Amino acid sequence: MRTVKLDDTTKKNLLDTLLKRSPGNYGEYNDTVTEIVERVRTEGDQALFELTRKFDWDGIGAANVQVTEEEFREAYEKIDKRLLETIRKSLKNIREYHEKQRQYSWFDSTPEGTILGQKVTPLRAAGVYVPGGKAVYPSSVLMNIVPAKIAGVSQVIMATPCGKDGRVNPSVLVAAKESGADAVYKIGGAQAIAAMAFGTESIPKVDKITGPGNIFVALAKKAVSGYVGIDSIAGPSEILVLADETANPRYVAADLLSQAEHDEMASAILVTTSEELGRRVSEEVDEFVKGLSRKEIIQKSLDNYGWILLADSLEDAVETVNLIASEHLEIVTRNPFEVMTKIRNAGAIFLGEYSSEPLGDYFAGPNHILPTNGTARFFSPVSVDDFVKKSSIIYYSREALEKAHEDIEYFAKQEQLTAHANSIHVRFEEPGKEV
């Protein structure tokens, strides 16, 4: 891995390079995605099936686009029994974690005759996208569907691409059934996002779409945002390890590679105050790569977006971590809990040498659908909050409004909104007196 000494110039160059991975810089694909989305919006099933036949399965149609109960039963017969057991253990942890995020409506009254509050309402329908292609992601099924179900969404549908044989991976189907999906559709790519956003003859329209995907999926979510809600526009995966001289270089190297194997645009960065640790991590990385199944993808990822960054101090290292705002952040230092208090920007934070990133991907409970490409500065992981909406509740008695009406009218007049002022005034108007 490349080793770089941190200074103002290298920080800027690094951030510029990382931001090139952002969906905002995928201009060459915009026209293609825009055309796909518009076709599905206007032509419905006709465009959806034509595109699916082109990219995924040439036998798709209205009669078989939805996964049947028979296909679910076959999936349960085919899935490895240990994997099913593991999925259920993971599901328990994910449910327990997300249950704690549940919000409730609240109301607050005063003796003066006012009631203020907030009404929390689950979304009517949600669409979750689960990618296929380079890998199989039953874990993403759990992370998408569980918070929606806990929020109380009445209809949760899932879209995922099928193989050339028209089948969806058994583990993905089992994860969907175990999580409580109401329907699963064999569609993928930008056309799946458009179908869920606008609805077709076969696919119901939803209110929000969540879940990661490739470049085309990310741009399609961006295109339909506003017609429906979205969680965020996900970019390639990334990991940042913040470590000092106490870290185990073998552990650090293994953790960096856990994300580099996702795809060629994934980033893996070590920020450390120890030049010796950096050297040993680089050596361990080289040895690990030789024996890994996705070594070609990993090597391209490391060549393009893999760095070891040497900081003069822990303060400088923390500043760099906050600038990068990584999707996954591991803190492997002498006192990780103390360092964690200084972190402002990260999607998920893993503390200590036994809290490696895959723990969050599969088992611990927190959601693994996280903000990428620096958007952890303002986005959060997918949660129950993504599947509810909030309405403000306001009630004033006549007596309560009477005490406040002159202030409200005055405020409205200062903004030259006399109709606003009049709306209050008419309730207390004196005969012959205008606003």
Side-chain angles (χ1 to χ4, degrees):
M1 292 180 69
R2 289 165 293 177
T3 300
V4 177
K5 182 73 174 174
L6 274 175
D7 57 32
D8 290 343
T9 300
T10 57
K11 286 178 188 176
K12 182 181 184 305
N13 291 341
L14 173 65
L15 290 173
D16 287 346
T17 300
L18 288 175
L19 287 173
K20 290 177 183 176
R21 301 159 59 254
S22 166
N25 290 307
Y26 298 159
E28 61 189 292
Y29 304 106
N30 273 327
D31 289 346
T32 299
V33 171
T34 299
E35 180 182 351
I36 290 172
V37 169
E38 183 60 20
R39 282 200 59 197
V40 173
R41 186 182 74 82
T42 56
E43 300 172 29
D45 273 357
Q46 180 180 340
L48 175 63
F49 296 149
E50 182 180 320
L51 291 161
T52 303
R53 291 178 191 125
K54 178 180 178 181
F55 297 121
D56 296 316
W57 177 39
D58 60 10
I60 196 75
N64 57 22
V65 65
Q66 183 174 346
V67 174
T68 64
E69 287 302 316
E70 177 61 28
E71 288 174 298
F72 280 117
R73 283 193 293 271
E74 289 177 2
Y76 273 91
E77 292 170 1
K78 291 179 180 179
I79 191 172
D80 180 87
K81 300 309 175 190
R82 183 175 177 184
L83 178 55
L84 174 57
E85 182 182 341
T86 303
I87 285 173
R88 286 174 173 167
K89 288 179 180 178
S90 178
L91 192 54
K92 178 177 181 292
N93 294 340
I94 295 166
R95 280 184 176 139
E96 287 178 354
Y97 180 87
H98 287 80
E99 284 280 0
K100 294 178 175 66
Q101 298 175 338
R102 217 191 262 271
Q103 293 193 45
Y104 299 93
S105 300
W106 58 268
F107 301 91
D108 186 23
S109 61
T110 68
E112 289 75 28
T114 69
I115 299 175
L116 302 178
Q118 182 172 268
K119 183 176 183 291
V120 178
T121 307
L123 302 182
R124 176 193 59 83
V128 299
Y129 185 84
V130 176
K134 292 183 179 179
V136 178
Y137 299 105
S139 58
S140 288
V141 178
L142 309 182
M143 297 294 181
N144 269 293
I145 296 174
V146 168
K149 281 296 180 180
I150 288 173
V153 178
S154 57
Q155 184 183 35
V156 181
I157 69 170
M158 185 178 104
T160 189
C162 62
K164 296 296 183 183
D165 60 355
R167 296 185 176 276
V168 177
N169 183 276
S171 65
V172 170
L173 289 186
V174 168
K177 179 63 75 172
E178 292 286 319
S179 303
D182 294 293
V184 177
Y185 297 95
K186 306 174 189 177
I187 52 172
Q191 60 271 23
I193 301 300
M196 292 191 289
F198 300 111
T200 73
E201 295 88 336
S202 299
I203 312 297
K205 174 179 168 55
V206 301
D207 299 317
K208 188 163 190 174
I209 299 172
T210 64
N214 63 14
I215 292 170
F216 297 96
V217 169
L219 289 176
K221 286 173 71 176
K222 182 178 180 181
V224 302
S225 177
Y227 296 98
V228 294
I230 63 170
D231 49 351
S232 63
I233 303 167
S237 189
E238 52 201 33
I239 185 170
L240 192 156
V241 179
L242 171 60
D244 62 15
E245 70 282 356
T246 66
N248 185 318
R250 190 167 174 82
Y251 295 174
V252 172
D255 292 356
L256 290 169
L257 297 177
S258 72
Q259 293 307 290
E261 76 172 340
H262 271 295
D263 64 60
E264 293 87 347
M265 294 183 72
S267 74
I269 300 172
L270 167 63
V271 179
T272 182
T273 52
S274 170
E275 187 172 351
E276 172 64 12
L277 177 72
R279 181 185 65 78
R280 293 179 63 190
V281 167
S282 184
E283 292 172 355
E284 293 283 359
V285 164
D286 291 341
E287 285 303 310
F288 274 133
V289 170
K290 295 174 185 178
L292 296 173
S293 61
R294 296 165 69 87
K295 59 186 176 183
E296 290 82 8
I297 291 173
I298 291 171
Q299 194 58 59
K300 287 181 181 177
S301 168
L302 295 176
D303 290 345
N304 291 324
Y305 303 107
W307 287 277
I308 295 171
L309 305 178
L310 298 179
D312 289 330
S313 66
L314 186 59
E315 290 71 24
D316 191 33
V318 168
E319 180 187 353
T320 303
V321 167
N322 282 323
L323 283 172
I324 294 172
S326 185
E327 177 187 19
H328 305 98
L329 169 64
E330 290 187 7
I331 303 176
V332 193
T333 60
R334 183 172 282 103
N335 191 338
F337 286 90
E338 180 183 347
V339 175
M340 182 266 293
T341 64
K342 302 173 183 177
I343 300 301
R344 295 190 308 275
N345 305 323
I349 302 173
F350 301 78
L351 303 173
E353 64 180 12
Y354 294 104
S355 304
S356 60
E357 188 279 336
L359 179 65
D361 273 353
Y362 296 109
F363 205 76
N367 210 288
H368 79 200
I369 303 171
L370 303 166
T372 60
N373 289 109
T375 60
R377 292 179 295 111
F378 45 82
F379 278 135
S380 303
V382 165
S383 71
V384 172
D385 286 349
D386 280 287
F387 299 99
V388 299
K389 54 192 179 72
K390 300 160 189 174
S391 303
S392 301
I393 302 297
I394 302 170
Y395 166 81
Y396 266 52
S397 66
R398 176 183 173 83
E399 292 73 22
L401 184 60
E402 189 169 18
K403 292 180 181 179
H405 82 93
E406 291 182 355
D407 287 333
I408 301 168
E409 292 174 41
Y410 173 76
F411 211 154
K413 290 174 184 177
Q414 295 308 300
E415 293 189 349
Q416 299 183 17
L417 298 176
T418 53
H420 280 63
N422 188 57
S423 175
I424 300 294
H425 175 77
V426 293
R427 287 160 169 79
F428 305 99
E429 62 187 347
E430 298 175 17
K433 188 173 181 181
E434 298 181 356
V435 178

